[in-house]
């Protein structure tokens, strides 16, 4: 891993507007559904209106006769779509999909909204009318969308040390509570979409995806072609929050229709369909048992969690992701189980596992602090681990104590009085809450190329994607700093499987993964430039050996001139003199564990959230008024985008705690609030004063810059801090999210 030398005009670590921003705000950026091609057709799926049963008859005759309709596809005529073989691998060779059943594979309906047909027409309006005209007759059975979860089989032990049950039984102080989070639906502004082209031998698919390489591999399997015959393009994404990580069935329908009709086909999932067929965060039910000494030292921690999944797929939420290392305890046990429901397959949602898991653990820690009559910050400090006790290895970098202490100072925590409703201001009751947070920090194998061009610009290319988090700008900053170029002279090319294969945009792992590959590619391009400079006649370097030259601030220089401040020659002039249009280098990075396959360090980001709520009992008005977040996320490459990421995550946490829940009709199994009027998300009026502080300690275990991803850690712990503050203000402990007015009026 190369050492990083601070450039004279360093750009890394400085707040930088996103380089793709002007393209987005001017409308130049092309999102998947923006693409149009000659002869393009439009597809609209027909969705099941039952949640459990079978299709008896599907009448498409009327729809097929409608103006502009080119075809109505269903099980009998869509053609063979294959069930992909899962390879749960985040590298370019992975093939991960949450709903493994191909669309219209059989006549069994297992969830409301399941695709049973798709209408294709010359205009969207014609396709929509045709889809509405399809008549489907079902044999219906009662759906199971029950909210109380029971495991279908014996729970699986995920993590264990010591004898947690025995230690709990003998603990001086105990907490034993169950915490529930509801199903939550991703609602990015950009809807899922596929634009499919077939040229007779290969597919080109413009997709809303957070993982172009994985999408290619899965679609190749479903369509029954070699992966070399599938190209996936996703240049811009209107966010995904994890819902666009893996392919969904609409993508296969668009591709199959394009192949059958020999024409481009566009399929855009409607907002209502977003609640049915493209995943969601599953409902979780977590029993947490904590036992301590009389002084507050943890002696036992048990977490038994369940989440719902679909009838065919085993989606596990991984609520114990952070449990084994968050606090020090000699005795720990985490178990998990699944409960099947007639609901579409769940999927990752920002901070999968750790977000609902830490809601439960941090809520229990708050209740424990009250039982101990101890300050909740002090309780966490008392139980700070020295190593990752789950893995038995050191942390690569952990500054959780500083996060808690810094947050407490900036928030003014010392002024907190512990009594319920004991703090007042301007006629309002204040509630203060705190929670710790954590998120994984890993590196996925990655490749990249960097080219120096004779016009004085550079090009960096990687087959990852920017999902709205700022990857374009991060890569531009890294290359600009090393080459000594203004950032506007660096072109970044992403989002295409024809590029060198890059990582998935999930788990906050892109930044940590791409940096080593991009740095190596840049260094190799520089080495090639210097080597050529020593050979080109007419340059002052001719006759010198390459090791007598060096590159600095955009110029090739003689080492012998360095002391005298020799000017050297700009790299573009070297290229022009040598009749070279460009010189390039390739780089790669290995996964976190490399060839050894095991961790030497526990690599995670950490943080703490401090929350103030206001409670006006006379009108039952509760508001989140102030949030201070302190994040230990390694070195922050772009503080402007980094702060945006944490702020956005905190706002999402407000939605999680106070507003969001997908409700299913127990009679039909349909999502009842499948729109943005009834599914309530936080808006500008709900956003309080937000303060974000980064500790900015480089973590060199991941890459030379010491950068870790921060997209998800800002959401973890927020809901627990809010419900802790709600208890402090009202005396009501809400253990099932979201906090509702009826909780507070009980």
């Amino acid at each position: 891993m190369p050492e990083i030398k601070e450039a004279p005009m360093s750009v890394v670590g400085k707040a930088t507007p996103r380089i793709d921003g002007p393209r987005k705000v001017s409308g130049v950026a092309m999102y998947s559904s923006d693409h149009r091609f000659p002869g393009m057709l439009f597809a609209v799926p027909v969705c099941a209106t039952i949640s459990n049963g079978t299709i008896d008859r599907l009448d498409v005759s009327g729809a097929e006769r409608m103006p502009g309709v080119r075809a109505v596809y269903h099980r009998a005529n869509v053609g063979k779509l294959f069930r992909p073989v899962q390879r749960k691998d985040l590298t370019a060779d992975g093939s991960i999909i949450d709903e493994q059943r191909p669309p219209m594979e059989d006549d069994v309906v297992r969830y409301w909204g399941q695709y049973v047909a798709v209408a294709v027409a010359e205009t969207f309006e014609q396709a929509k009318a045709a889809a509405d005209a399809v008549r489907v007759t079902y044999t219906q059975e009662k759906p199971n969308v029950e909210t109380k979860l029971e495991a279908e089989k014996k729970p699986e032990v995920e993590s264990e040390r010591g004898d947690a049950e025995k230690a709990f039984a003998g603990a001086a102080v105990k907490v034993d509570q169950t915490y529930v989070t509801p199903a939550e639906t991703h609602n990015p502004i950009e809807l899922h979409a596929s634009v499919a082209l077939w040229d007779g031998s290969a597919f080109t698919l413009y997709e809303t995806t957070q993982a172009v390489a994985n999408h290619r591999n899965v679609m190749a399997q479903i369509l029954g072609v070699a992966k070399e015959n599938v190209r996936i393009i996703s240049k811009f994404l209107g966010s995904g929050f994890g819902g666009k990580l893996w392919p969904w069935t609409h993508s296969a329908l668009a591709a199959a229709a394009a192949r059958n009709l020999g024409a481009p086909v566009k399929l855009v999932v409607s907002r209502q369909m977003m609640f049915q067929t493209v995943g969601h965060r599953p409902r979780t039910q977590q029993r947490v048992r904590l036992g301590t000494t009389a002084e507050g030292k943890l002696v036992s921690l048990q977490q038994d969690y369940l989440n719902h999944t679909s009838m065919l797929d085993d989606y596990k939420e991984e609520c114990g992701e952070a449990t084994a290392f968050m606090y020090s305890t000699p005795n720990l046990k985490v178990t998990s189980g699944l409960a099947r429901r007639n609901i579409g397959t769940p999927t990752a949602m920002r901070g999968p596992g750790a977000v609902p898991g830490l809601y439960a653990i941090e809520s229990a820690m708050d209740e424990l602090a009250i039982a101990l009559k101890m300050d909740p910050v002090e309780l966490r400090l008392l139980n700070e681990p020295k190593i990752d006790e789950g893995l038995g290895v050191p942390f690569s970098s952990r500054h959780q104590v500083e996060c808690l202490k810094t947050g407490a100072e900036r928030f003014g925590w010392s002024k907190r009085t512990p009594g319920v409703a004991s703090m007042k201001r301007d006629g309002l009751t204040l509630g203060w809450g705190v929670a710790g947070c954590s998120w994984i920090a890993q590196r996925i194998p990655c490749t990249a190329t960097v080219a120096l061009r004779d016009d004085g610009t550079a090009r960096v290319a990687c087959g990852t994607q920017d999902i709205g988090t700022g990857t374009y700008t991060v890569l531009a900053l890294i290359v600009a700093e090393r080459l000594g170029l203004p950032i506007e002279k660096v072109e970044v090319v992403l989002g295409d499987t024809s590029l060198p294969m890059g990582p998935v945009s999930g788990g906050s792992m892109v930044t940590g993964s791409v940096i080593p590959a991009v740095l190596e590619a840049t260094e190799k391009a520089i080495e090639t430039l210097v080597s050529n400079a020593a050979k080109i006649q007419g340059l002052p370097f001719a006759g010198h050996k390459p090791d007598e030259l060096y590159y600095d601030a955009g110029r090739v220089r003689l080492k012998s001139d360095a002391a005298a401040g020799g000017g050297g020659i700009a790299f573009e002039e070297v290229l022009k003199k040598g009749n070279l249009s460009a010189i390039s280098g390739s780089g790669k990075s290995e996964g976190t564990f490399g060839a050894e396959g095991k961790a030497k360090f526990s690599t995670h980001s950490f943080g703490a959230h401090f929350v103030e709520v206001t409670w006006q009992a006379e009108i039952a008005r509760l508001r989140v008024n102030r949030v201070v977040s302190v994040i230990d996320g390694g070195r922050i490459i772009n503080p402007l985008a980094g702060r945006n990421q944490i702020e956005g995550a905190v706002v999402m946490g407000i939605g999680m705690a106070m507003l969001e829940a997908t409700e299913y009709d127990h009679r039909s199994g349909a999502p009842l609030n499948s729109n943005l009027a009834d599914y309530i998300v936080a808006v500008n009026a709900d956003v309080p004063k937000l303060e974000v502080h980064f500790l900015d300690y480089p973590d060199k275990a991941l890459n030379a810059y010491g950068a870790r991803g921060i997209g998800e850690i800002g959401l973890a712990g927020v809901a627990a801090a809010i419900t802790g503050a709600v208890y402090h203000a009202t005396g009501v402990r809400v253990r099932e999210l979201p906090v509702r007015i009826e909780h507070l009026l009980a």
Side-chain angles (χ1 to χ4, degrees):
M1 196 178 290
E3 286 296 317
I4 298 300
K5 297 178 181 178
E6 190 77 5
M9 297 295 290
S10 178
V11 292
V12 170
K14 289 183 168 54
T16 305
R18 301 183 190 201
I19 62 172
D20 51 320
R23 299 188 67 188
K24 290 180 175 178
V25 298
S26 65
V28 173
M30 294 285 285
Y31 293 82
S32 295
S33 63
D34 292 333
H35 291 279
R36 296 188 67 91
F37 297 95
M40 189 168 75
L41 304 175
F42 296 82
V44 173
V46 179
C47 300
T49 54
I50 67 169
S51 299
N52 185 19
T54 55
I55 300 171
D56 291 337
R57 184 168 179 268
L58 195 148
D59 183 0
V60 300
S61 57
E64 288 177 328
R65 293 193 299 268
M66 296 177 73
V69 175
R70 296 286 293 274
V72 179
Y73 292 113
H74 44 85
R75 184 187 173 200
N77 66 352
V78 72
K80 182 63 176 175
L81 296 173
F82 299 89
R83 185 174 288 230
V85 177
Q86 287 264 35
R87 186 174 183 216
K88 295 203 170 182
D89 185 341
L90 296 178
T91 72
D93 295 324
S95 53
I96 303 174
I97 186 169
D98 283 325
E99 185 173 350
Q100 297 182 65
R101 173 189 176 274
M104 305 184 299
E105 182 184 57
D106 54 35
D107 290 329
V108 180
V109 175
R110 299 173 179 88
Y111 63 88
W112 181 280
Q114 178 182 310
Y115 300 142
V116 299
V118 61
V120 187
E122 294 169 4
T123 69
F124 168 76
E125 291 78 9
Q126 291 169 334
K128 178 67 168 61
D132 291 343
V134 173
R135 297 288 175 258
V136 189
T137 306
Y138 304 97
T139 295
Q140 184 175 1
E141 298 179 36
K142 179 176 173 55
N144 180 1
V145 292
E146 292 300 318
T147 55
K148 182 174 176 55
L149 304 182
E150 295 180 358
E152 63 169 349
K153 57 185 178 182
K154 183 179 178 180
E156 171 190 350
V157 177
E158 290 189 355
S159 182
E160 186 172 19
R161 59 180 180 264
D163 190 334
E165 293 186 12
K166 181 178 179 181
F168 180 77
V173 180
K174 303 175 187 178
V175 165
D176 182 352
Q177 295 293 349
T178 297
Y179 305 90
V180 176
T181 62
E184 296 175 71
T185 298
H186 312 72
N187 271 292
I189 295 300
E190 182 197 27
L191 301 166
H192 287 251
S194 298
V195 176
L197 288 77
W198 166 253
D199 67 4
S201 61
F203 292 94
T204 300
L205 308 176
Y206 294 84
E207 295 285 354
T208 46
T209 177
Q210 297 176 230
V212 292
N214 183 88
H215 201 105
R216 175 201 61 187
N217 299 345
V218 172
M219 290 303 299
Q221 290 192 57
I222 292 176
L223 297 168
V225 299
K227 69 180 183 180
E228 292 75 19
N229 290 343
V230 179
R231 181 185 179 191
I232 306 295
I233 299 173
S234 184
K235 296 292 184 181
F236 297 97
L237 206 69
S239 197
F241 306 121
K244 296 173 183 172
L245 263 174
W246 319 127
W248 294 101
T249 50
H250 66 272
S251 183
L253 288 179
R259 180 163 59 183
N260 293 347
L261 294 169
V265 172
K266 177 188 291 189
L267 192 161
V268 180
V269 172
S270 71
R271 181 62 64 182
Q272 184 177 26
M273 292 176 196
M274 296 279 285
F275 286 79
Q276 301 165 175
T277 55
V278 289
H280 58 278
R281 195 196 299 278
R283 184 178 183 86
T284 73
Q285 182 177 294
Q286 304 176 64
R287 182 186 181 192
V288 178
R289 284 171 284 177
L290 304 179
T292 72
T293 64
E295 295 74 30
K297 189 68 177 173
L298 279 168
V299 296
S300 178
L301 193 164
Q302 297 175 82
Q303 179 186 27
D304 304 297
Y305 76 87
L306 303 171
N307 67 261
H308 81 218
T309 188
S310 61
M311 288 297 176
L312 291 182
D313 301 295
D314 294 344
Y315 178 84
K316 186 165 71 169
E317 180 61 14
E318 307 289 358
C319 291
E321 190 276 321
T323 307
F325 61 81
M326 195 66 185
Y327 297 108
S328 177
T329 179
N331 304 288
L332 175 142
K333 187 175 183 180
V334 178
T335 69
S336 65
L338 300 177
R340 298 202 181 278
R341 295 291 182 265
N342 289 112
I343 297 172
T345 303
T347 194
M349 188 174 189
R350 195 175 196 171
V355 165
L358 283 171
Y359 161 67
I361 296 297
E362 292 299 298
S363 294
M365 286 292 284
D366 195 66
E367 296 205 54
L368 182 61
I370 293 168
L372 287 160
K373 298 181 180 179
M374 179 182 290
D375 182 90
V377 172
E378 291 301 320
L379 175 63
R380 288 168 171 84
L381 294 175
L382 177 65
N383 289 284
E384 173 70 7
K386 291 183 171 60
I387 66 167
D388 182 327
E389 296 176 353
L391 295 176
V393 298
F395 293 103
S396 61
S397 176
R398 175 172 170 137
H399 300 277
Q400 179 69 352
V401 168
E402 187 173 346
C403 288
L404 287 163
K405 290 183 176 180
T406 301
E409 180 182 353
R410 290 182 177 274
F411 189 81
W413 190 258
S414 61
K415 298 176 183 177
R416 178 182 183 269
T417 56
V420 168
S422 63
M423 299 179 68
K424 309 284 185 180
R425 185 177 63 226
D426 300 330
L428 302 174
T429 301
L430 303 184
W432 285 8
V434 62
C437 59
S438 174
W439 184 248
I440 56 175
Q442 294 185 4
R443 198 173 61 239
I444 305 171
C446 176
T447 54
T449 59
V450 171
L452 310 181
R453 302 187 288 204
D454 64 0
D455 61 356
T457 65
R459 177 184 187 268
V460 54
C462 180
T464 187
Q465 48 286 306
D466 190 330
I467 63 171
T469 51
T471 304
Y472 278 108
T473 308
V474 164
L475 268 62
L477 288 169
I478 298 295
V479 174
E481 173 147 310
R482 179 62 187 97
L483 293 177
L485 295 179
I487 190 173
E488 59 269 18
K489 287 197 172 185
V490 179
E491 178 191 12
V492 182
V493 185
L494 305 173
D496 192 329
T497 51
S498 67
L499 300 172
M501 285 299 99
V504 305
S505 294
S508 303
M509 289 186 260
V510 168
T511 297
S513 301
V514 299
I515 285 175
V518 170
L519 284 175
E520 182 180 351
T522 306
E523 293 303 324
K524 287 187 175 179
I526 290 171
E527 288 172 11
T528 303
L529 174 73
V530 170
S531 178
N532 276 272
K535 301 173 185 176
I536 297 171
Q537 295 299 316
L539 290 178
F541 316 125
H544 287 271
K545 296 178 181 179
D547 61 6
E548 295 178 307
L549 311 180
Y550 73 105
Y551 179 92
D552 180 58
R555 305 177 77 83
V556 179
R557 308 170 191 267
L558 279 170
K559 291 181 179 178
S560 59
D561 292 340
I569 297 177
F571 75 78
E572 61 267 31
E573 296 303 320
V574 174
L575 295 177
K576 289 175 183 176
K577 195 70 174 178
N579 294 315
L580 300 167
S581 60
I583 282 176
S584 64
S586 298
K588 66 178 181 178
S589 60
E590 301 295 335
T592 306
F593 306 143
E596 298 176 12
K598 62 180 180 179
K600 293 180 181 178
F601 297 100
S602 174
T603 50
H604 295 82
S605 289
F606 296 94
H609 301 289
F610 291 79
V611 169
E612 176 182 278
V613 302
T614 59
W615 169 240
Q616 192 171 0
E618 298 84 353
I619 58 173
R621 187 184 191 194
L622 178 72
R623 292 186 65 87
V624 178
N625 191 56
R626 182 166 62 103
V627 180
V628 173
S629 299
V630 181
I631 303 297
D632 169 29
R635 186 178 183 192
I636 306 302
I637 301 296
N638 183 2
L640 179 60
R643 186 166 288 106
N644 293 160
Q645 282 289 290
I646 302 300
E647 289 173 342
V650 169
V651 173
M652 200 167 176
I654 293 170
M656 175 183 177
M658 307 280 284
L659 305 168
E660 295 188 47
T662 307
E663 307 285 354
Y664 296 93
D665 189 327
H666 285 246
R667 298 162 300 176
S668 66
L672 288 169
N673 52 340
S674 55
N675 56 76
L676 288 179
D678 298 321
Y679 184 90
I680 306 173
V681 298
V683 297
N684 284 347
D686 302 302
V687 177
K689 180 181 179 183
L690 302 176
E691 295 181 33
V692 177
H693 305 279
F694 293 112
L695 297 187
D696 214 24
Y697 289 113
D699 185 352
K700 297 297 183 71
L702 280 176
N703 52 69
Y705 275 101
R708 300 195 294 250
I710 55 172
E712 284 154 297
I713 188 172
L715 176 54
V718 174
I722 291 174
T723 54
V726 169
Y727 175 83
H728 186 223
T730 67
V732 177
R733 176 65 64 177
V734 178
R735 300 187 183 96
E736 179 171 348
L737 296 181
V739 178
R740 302 178 189 272
I741 192 170
E742 50 265 38
H743 292 142
L744 306 180
L745 295 177

